[in-house]
Amino acid sequence: MSKPTIADLAKAAGVSPTTVSHAFSGRRYVDPETRKRIEALAETMGYRPNHRARRLRTGGAGSIALVSSMPFAVAAGPSRLGFLMEIAAAAAVAAFSRDIALCLVPPLGPRDRLDALEVDGAIVVEPERNDPVLDFFSDRGVEVVSIGRAPGREDLPFVDLQSGTTARLLLDHLFAGGGQIGLMTGLQRRNSYLEVEAAYAAFAAEAGFAPLAVRVDERGGEQAAAAAAETLLRENPALSALCVPVDAFAAGALEAARIVGRRVPEDLRLATRYDGMRAKLAKPPLTAVDLHLDQVAAAAVDLLLARLGQPCPEPSLPPPPSLVLRASSAQAGT
Amino acid sequence: MSKPTIADLAKAAGVSPTTVSHAFSGRRYVDPETRKRIEALAETMGYRPNHRARRLRTGGAGSIALVSSMPFAVAAGPSRLGFLMEIAAAAAVAAFSRDIALCLVPPLGPRDRLDALEVDGAIVVEPERNDPVLDFFSDRGVEVVSIGRAPGREDLPFVDLQSGTTARLLLDHLFAGGGQIGLMTGLQRRNSYLEVEAAYAAFAAEAGFAPLAVRVDERGGEQAAAAAAETLLRENPALSALCVPVDAFAAGALEAARIVGRRVPEDLRLATRYDGMRAKLAKPPLTAVDLHLDQVAAAAVDLLLARLGQPCPEPSLPPPPSLVLRASSAQAGT
DNA sequence: GCCGCTATGCAAAACGATTTGCATGACGCA
DNA sequence: TGCGTCATGCAAATCGTTTTGCATAGCGGC
């Protein structure tokens, strides 16, 4: 005989399905004696509620999605796999401890595939301006929160990645009393770039150096960044430091420095944003920023749950980013 | 008014729900005229079938879990994050294209949490001997497949990681006509270690060198490996090569070689198994093996789906592992 | 007139839980 | 006796599909 249903259990216990349901859910009073009998019987019969039936009735899906609009081929390339997957791992832990499942959703190819997806809500990682993923979920009435503000969608709840603060942290450190700092970001219009670029412009004005910012096509990866950095360094011998938020780009910049014969950090100081394996393993290791992604992810989960009206801890604000000092930006004096 | 149901659509089209269902599923003939009317109406009304109801009726699966028994703290540490997450990304893509969701499940802390998990099946990544995760799912009657054979659970379906072949590939390459090769594995009893150790023993016997194998505690990470490798190298000056399947350990071995003054590859040839960022970014870059994890993951998904009786492509055998030659094992002649 | 056949479509029974409204008995109280 | 009120539990409706078995009509052939 296949899996016992609530009716089987009820019959065995000599009560009605209603009573069994109440015994488990606690939504109505059930005689403790009866309940104990039911529970014992459930244990021995191996009864567990059919989640498909339950969900049909209650309408809950019990799961949330984690989505990046960037194709895995790119996102999972050496460049962003770390970032995305670090968030995924942390979000899975957070979601799990709140008794819901985290579904990893690859970015949309043929749009209709997503139709089959049954989730109560979605977390979108660093959406771009006009990100199709956001529209998709909005159209379907699926609750969405983003990690990193969604440019142009200020209505959406989000957990801030504090890219402005991060940039400021890096620039303050790199400037250290003088010089000219260059900036390298990407072509996509994600909020983190926008904030970084704005912070950079403000900082340059304050510090009194001429801003020097380039944008590199993400698809070109490390090589494209190396090429761009090489040009930048050759044309601007006065550059004393480079702020390169994308870690793969920073690796490219490191290579470019080597090629043009600039020692890091002596002749050029370098720092990146995401403190992943790349930053740690680079030679010299790259100064980076601890974004506290685990807490960011947990906050995103809680925020989403709160929006869904689920009972969950009050979404906490993740701590501000903090600098991780490494050799790539060590100062002469230290 | 909320989402239209099949009944709403049927009423609007002037037919019965049955006909609508048949029109979409094609399980019975429906007049093409009628069908066209239904489809057009569905489009304008925004009808989409309720998956919860459908699954309740058909019993179809909605989601599968991906689990590693290793704590995320370890699995997601620099060492294994890459391996696990590369599989996760590929599995998500494969699952998604089969219209089911992939849930990322953190390893069991307090066991009971998993109770809340509602999945139709699970993929377990490189289970250990007596892995509690396997028992857990078996107890619940959740279908399980593993990536990498489960030691002691030969009854479970699995997708082979071909660790024996992999080891052979590495050893053949490292041996290249002579010398003595050392082996460094971990303490856990995963199948990949067992197969590697067996292949190593056989190879040493064949090639006629004295086997020299050490096991390092995974929790010690790169440092522990470096320490072990240093001892190994000092005590065995004759060692010509080191086969170190775990990439973090290989990084440690590289460091040890530097410390004891052995140049890689001139004085010591080194190769690892997993071709992740670690192997690629090492100095010199590490010879590794392409395990074709994307295809392994897809095969695991299909295998699981087949076990669940879902319609899905015939599970394909992933291609055999192939060597990725890098500087760490370059031969003198080449 | 009867049979068999195809084409088309409907009614109703699943699927397995949750939830609403009602029933019954016991009891207290006037 | 009559009335209100707990305490306990059940029957039946509901969620939105899919699927089985039957119904009707039209038509050809004998």
Side-chain angles (χ1 to χ4, degrees):
Chain A
M1 167 137 152
S2 72
K3 293 189 65 170
T5 73
I6 199 173
D8 300 329
L9 178 53
K11 197 172 298 175
V15 298
S16 77
T18 310
T19 306
V20 174
S21 177
H22 289 328
F24 284 126
S25 69
R27 291 184 62 93
R28 285 247 189 125
Y29 184 88
V30 171
D31 188 284
E33 184 92 7
T34 314
R35 162 185 316 223
K36 212 167 290 171
R37 198 172 68 244
I38 292 176
E39 279 167 356
L41 223 37
E43 180 67 25
T44 70
M45 297 176 61
Y47 166 77
R48 47 193 52 255
N50 177 314
H51 61 269
R52 299 191 251 270
R54 188 208 297 263
R55 292 213 271 250
L56 170 58
R57 181 62 232 235
T58 64
S63 62
I64 59 178
L66 183 77
V67 202
S68 160
S69 62
M70 208 176 296
F72 265 4
V74 174
S79 160
R80 275 179 69 82
L81 179 74
F83 186 75
L84 180 59
M85 288 307 179
E86 194 176 326
I87 289 179
V93 171
F96 200 67
S97 76
R98 317 274 190 272
D99 273 349
I100 61 172
L102 184 88
C103 296
L104 202 53
V105 177
L108 301 72
R111 293 186 52 143
D112 53 356
R113 279 296 182 187
L114 259 187
D115 283 349
L117 191 65
E118 263 185 45
V119 292
D120 298 315
I123 298 175
V124 180
V125 179
E126 285 217 292
E128 283 189 88
R129 183 173 292 281
N130 301 323
D131 204 311
V133 172
L134 293 179
D135 296 337
F136 184 89
F137 285 117
S138 301
D139 287 355
R140 271 172 185 57
V142 174
E143 200 69 50
V144 173
V145 308
S146 67
I147 289 182
R149 198 187 299 252
R153 290 294 303 271
E154 275 67 26
D155 54 313
L156 285 182
F158 65 97
V159 176
D160 200 354
L161 279 175
Q162 309 186 60
S163 301
T165 309
T166 300
R168 189 79 205 193
L169 212 55
L170 289 172
L171 293 168
D172 270 336
H173 168 66
L174 288 174
F175 189 62
Q180 182 187 17
I181 308 177
L183 177 74
M184 180 183 292
T185 56
L187 281 184
Q188 293 168 333
R189 293 296 75 196
R190 336 199 144 261
N191 184 253
S192 61
Y193 293 163
L194 301 178
E195 283 188 28
V196 166
E197 288 165 10
Y200 174 76
F203 187 91
E206 269 173 52
F209 63 77
L212 201 54
V214 298
R215 290 185 191 153
V216 176
D217 189 336
E218 278 84 355
R219 289 165 300 182
E222 188 171 332
Q223 278 82 35
E230 190 179 335
T231 310
L232 193 68
L233 290 173
R234 286 201 198 284
E235 291 179 355
N236 302 275
L239 271 183
S240 61
L242 231 38
C243 178
V244 187
V246 179
D247 62 350
F249 289 178
L254 208 50
E255 175 66 9
R258 210 184 47 71
I259 291 176
V260 305
R262 294 250 226 158
R263 289 169 306 163
V264 173
E266 293 85 348
D267 308 328
L268 181 74
R269 300 173 66 216
L270 190 61
T272 189
R273 176 178 80 141
Y274 172 54
D275 184 26
M277 206 184 300
R278 199 123 197 175
K280 289 173 188 135
L281 293 182
K283 302 276 181 203
L286 299 176
T287 288
V289 176
D290 185 349
L291 298 169
H292 307 293
L293 289 183
D294 51 347
Q295 293 173 76
V296 166
V301 169
D302 287 341
L303 181 60
L304 182 55
L305 257 44
R307 302 279 306 188
L308 290 171
Q310 300 276 322
C312 73
E314 181 70 16
S316 61
L317 224 51
S322 51
L323 209 56
V324 180
L325 292 174
R326 298 234 176 71
S328 73
S329 69
Q331 287 175 255
T334 55
Chain B
M1 170 142 152
S2 73
K3 292 189 66 170
T5 73
I6 199 175
D8 300 329
L9 179 53
K11 197 172 299 175
V15 297
S16 79
T18 311
T19 306
V20 174
S21 178
H22 290 327
F24 284 125
S25 70
R27 291 185 61 93
R28 284 244 190 128
Y29 184 89
V30 172
D31 187 283
E33 185 90 8
T34 313
R35 162 186 315 225
K36 210 166 292 171
R37 198 173 68 243
I38 292 176
E39 280 167 355
L41 223 39
E43 179 68 25
T44 70
M45 296 176 63
Y47 166 77
R48 42 193 65 252
N50 178 316
H51 295 278
R52 303 189 247 272
R54 169 178 304 189
R55 288 215 264 266
L56 169 58
R57 179 63 231 238
T58 63
S63 61
I64 58 179
L66 183 78
V67 201
S68 161
S69 63
M70 207 175 298
F72 265 2
V74 175
S79 162
R80 275 179 68 82
L81 178 74
F83 186 75
L84 179 59
M85 288 307 178
E86 194 176 326
I87 289 179
V93 172
F96 200 68
S97 76
R98 316 279 188 268
D99 274 349
I100 61 172
L102 184 88
C103 296
L104 202 54
V105 177
L108 300 70
R111 293 187 49 145
D112 54 356
R113 279 297 182 185
L114 260 187
D115 281 347
L117 190 64
E118 289 167 1
V119 293
D120 303 295
I123 298 175
V124 180
V125 179
E126 286 218 290
E128 283 188 89
R129 183 173 292 281
N130 301 322
D131 203 311
V133 171
L134 293 180
D135 296 337
F136 183 89
F137 284 118
S138 303
D139 287 354
R140 268 173 188 56
V142 173
E143 202 67 52
V144 172
V145 308
S146 68
I147 289 182
R149 200 188 299 252
R153 289 295 303 274
E154 276 68 26
D155 53 313
L156 284 184
F158 65 97
V159 176
D160 200 355
L161 279 175
Q162 310 187 61
S163 301
T165 309
T166 299
R168 189 79 205 192
L169 212 55
L170 289 171
L171 294 168
D172 271 337
H173 167 67
L174 288 174
F175 190 63
Q180 182 187 18
I181 308 177
L183 178 74
M184 180 183 293
T185 56
L187 280 185
Q188 293 169 334
R189 294 296 77 195
R190 346 199 136 258
N191 185 254
S192 62
Y193 293 163
L194 301 179
E195 283 189 28
V196 165
E197 287 165 12
Y200 174 75
F203 187 90
E206 269 174 51
F209 63 78
L212 202 53
V214 297
R215 290 187 190 149
V216 176
D217 189 335
E218 277 83 355
R219 289 165 299 183
E222 187 171 333
Q223 277 81 36
E230 189 179 335
T231 311
L232 193 70
L233 289 174
R234 286 201 198 284
E235 292 178 355
N236 303 276
L239 271 183
S240 62
L242 231 38
C243 178
V244 187
V246 179
D247 62 349
F249 288 178
L254 207 50
E255 174 67 9
R258 207 183 50 71
I259 290 176
V260 304
R262 293 250 228 156
R263 287 169 305 163
V264 173
E266 293 85 350
D267 308 328
L268 181 75
R269 300 173 65 217
L270 191 61
T272 190
R273 176 176 79 140
Y274 171 54
D275 185 27
M277 207 184 301
R278 200 124 195 173
K280 289 173 188 134
L281 293 183
K283 303 275 168 177
L286 299 175
T287 289
V289 176
D290 184 350
L291 297 169
H292 307 292
L293 288 184
D294 51 347
Q295 293 173 76
V296 166
V301 169
D302 286 341
L303 181 59
L304 182 55
L305 258 42
R307 302 279 305 187
L308 289 171
Q310 297 285 124
C312 74
E314 182 70 16
S316 61
L317 225 50
S322 51
L323 209 56
V324 180
L325 292 174
R326 298 235 175 72
S328 73
S329 69
Q331 287 175 255
T334 53

